[in-house]
Amino acid sequence: MTRIIAGTFRGRRLKVPNGAEVRPTTDRVKEAVFNILGPLDDLHALDLFAGSGGLGIEALSRGVSETCFVEPSPVAGRILKENLASLRLDDGWRLLAMPALRALRLLKKESLQFDLVFLDPPYKTNYLAEVLEPGMLDTVTSPACRVVAESLAAAEWRVPQGWETITERSYGTTSVRILRRGR
């Protein structure tokens, strides 16, 4: 189990799948990230490696008007839906049950623009680098978009061209970088 840190659903618990399929962001990291982000009222968020939905649901609890969750795992997707149902969230969210790159192509076709993107892929994959290839996020993000990228603290990856790091913090074995479009 994990919990919602603040906002409308503060203190509510969220289910997490058993096993190593999903590694939820710890409460400590979540709290730090959202304190850095500040007010989120009326933003549109994309939780690209959603797992059980902890980051996207936290964003909804803190005022984001809509979150698009992307999660290819049927097990994690089912639990994400259960978590949303337990909060009685009938709208303000969408689940795309597909891999991240496929979802980005679909969202590009739909001309959707997000103000906040969460990237918390499984640590032992190359998914973060694939999503951060130049141009991949550009077509689905607003000019003022911020990207929260989580990885192993020892992992090295490049900030995509046209983006810059606002802040980088480490929390134990977890590293978080918050990016924005370059100025």
Side-chain angles (χ1 to χ4, degrees):
M1 288 263 191
T2 185
R3 68 184 175 99
I4 300 169
I5 304 298
T8 308
F9 305 113
R10 181 177 188 225
R12 300 282 296 272
R13 299 236 175 244
L14 300 175
K15 293 180 183 178
V16 177
N18 292 328
E21 183 175 326
V22 171
R23 174 204 34 79
T25 300
T26 65
D27 290 350
R28 177 178 169 222
V29 172
K30 230 185 325 187
E31 185 171 20
V33 164
F34 282 95
N35 285 341
I36 293 166
L37 291 173
L40 303 176
D41 295 339
D42 302 320
L43 298 181
H44 294 271
L46 174 62
D47 191 348
L48 204 50
F49 300 92
S52 57
L55 290 170
I57 293 172
E58 183 77 31
L60 287 167
S61 181
R62 292 175 182 245
V64 164
S65 62
E66 186 171 26
T67 298
C68 179
F69 297 93
V70 177
E71 177 53 54
S73 163
V75 173
R78 180 182 51 77
I79 289 177
L80 193 157
K81 286 180 186 176
E82 289 174 14
N83 285 333
L84 291 163
S86 75
L87 301 171
R88 294 187 172 86
L89 281 169
D90 298 325
D91 58 4
W93 63 274
R94 172 184 184 189
L95 173 61
L96 298 177
M98 61 184 67
L101 295 178
R102 188 169 144 211
L104 286 173
R105 287 190 292 273
L106 174 68
L107 295 168
K108 177 184 174 182
K109 284 181 186 176
E110 294 179 4
S111 299
L112 293 177
Q113 296 266 298
F114 298 95
D115 309 299
L116 183 59
V117 178
F118 297 105
L119 302 177
D120 184 14
Y123 283 172
K124 295 180 181 179
T125 66
N126 198 36
Y127 295 149
L128 190 58
E130 290 174 6
V131 169
L132 291 173
E133 282 291 317
M136 287 301 296
L137 289 176
D138 296 349
T139 59
V140 297
T141 54
S142 71
C145 181
R146 290 172 292 169
V147 174
V148 177
E150 190 175 324
S151 65
L152 272 174
E156 292 188 26
W157 51 273
R158 285 189 248 195
V159 174
Q161 184 177 352
W163 293 80
E164 64 186 13
T165 301
I166 298 171
T167 189
E168 181 174 3
R169 309 267 172 92
S170 290
Y171 306 92
T173 60
T174 299
S175 176
V176 175
R177 286 191 204 175
I178 300 179
L179 313 174
R180 70 175 173 208
R181 289 188 188 273
R183 305 219 186 264

